[in-house]
């Protein structure tokens, strides 16, 4: 999955921390492309224009190791994401749409283990 962005190294660092995936070891420090190795791989490429419309494709993320959706929202906010649209419901269903540091939308959903409790 490829992200056009203004600051590929900074955005890749955010997503590396968010996912726990490693930045490719052969990444050039001042290069225009940064690969975060995961499933799927995330490629960040420097482009001159800024983001102007809503993403047509986005990632859905969940907590791991017993982390709840709400804990994951807080963790990602601590890494630099912001809440864009909170769709959590009183019964525990729903999701939170967040923006990464360059404004790309992604959703934080409940993990399967949360749905069973």
């Amino acid at each position: 999955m490829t992200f056009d962005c203004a600051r590929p190294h900074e955005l890749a660092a955010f997503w590396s921390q968010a996912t726990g995936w490693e930045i490719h070891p052969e990444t050039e420090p001042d290069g225009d492309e940064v690969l975060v190795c995961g499933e799927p791989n995330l490629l960040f490429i420097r482009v001159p224009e800024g983001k102007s419309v809503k993403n047509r494709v986005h990632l859905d993320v969940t907590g791991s190791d017993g982390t709840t959706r709400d804990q994951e929202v807080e963790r990602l906010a601590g890494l630099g994401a912001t809440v864009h649209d909170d769709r959590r419901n009183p019964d525990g269903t729903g999701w939170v749409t967040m923006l990464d540091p360059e404004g790309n939308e992604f959703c934080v959903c409940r993990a399967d283990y949360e749905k069973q409790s």
Side-chain angles (χ1 to χ4, degrees), residues 8-73:
H9 290 271
E10 291 87 349
L11 198 55
F14 167 82
W15 281 103
S16 176
Q17 290 179 312
T19 61
W21 301 341
E22 298 292 324
I23 292 177
H24 192 282
E26 295 178 18
T27 297
E28 295 182 23
D30 295 325
D32 289 334
E33 297 181 4
V34 181
L35 180 66
V36 175
C37 302
E39 207 40 62
N41 289 329
L42 306 176
L43 179 62
F44 300 89
I45 298 178
R46 185 182 326 274
V47 297
E49 66 277 354
K51 183 176 179 295
S52 59
V53 297
K54 180 181 181 299
N55 296 9
R56 297 284 306 257
V57 175
H58 68 266
L59 297 175
D60 284 350
V61 300
T62 63
S64 60
D65 300 325
T67 304
T68 67
R69 174 198 56 213
D70 298 344
Q71 291 168 325
E72 189 67 1
V73 167

Side-chain angles (χ1 to χ4, degrees), residues 46-116:
R46 185 182 326 274
V47 297
E49 66 277 354
K51 183 176 179 295
S52 59
V53 297
K54 180 181 181 299
N55 296 9
R56 297 284 306 257
V57 175
H58 68 266
L59 297 175
D60 284 350
V61 300
T62 63
S64 60
D65 300 325
T67 304
T68 67
R69 174 198 56 213
D70 298 344
Q71 291 168 325
E72 189 67 1
V73 167
E74 292 303 316
R75 184 183 78 83
L76 293 165
L79 295 175
T82 56
V83 172
H84 177 67
D85 188 15
D86 193 333
R87 297 292 183 104
R88 290 176 277 196
N89 299 310
D91 66 358
T93 61
W95 66 92
V96 177
T97 302
M98 298 189 80
L99 303 177
D100 74 13
E102 287 206 20
N104 298 299
E105 298 92 359
F106 65 98
C107 292
V108 183
C109 304
R110 293 189 313 164
D112 287 339
Y113 53 78
E114 284 187 87
K115 297 173 187 175
Q116 297 170 4

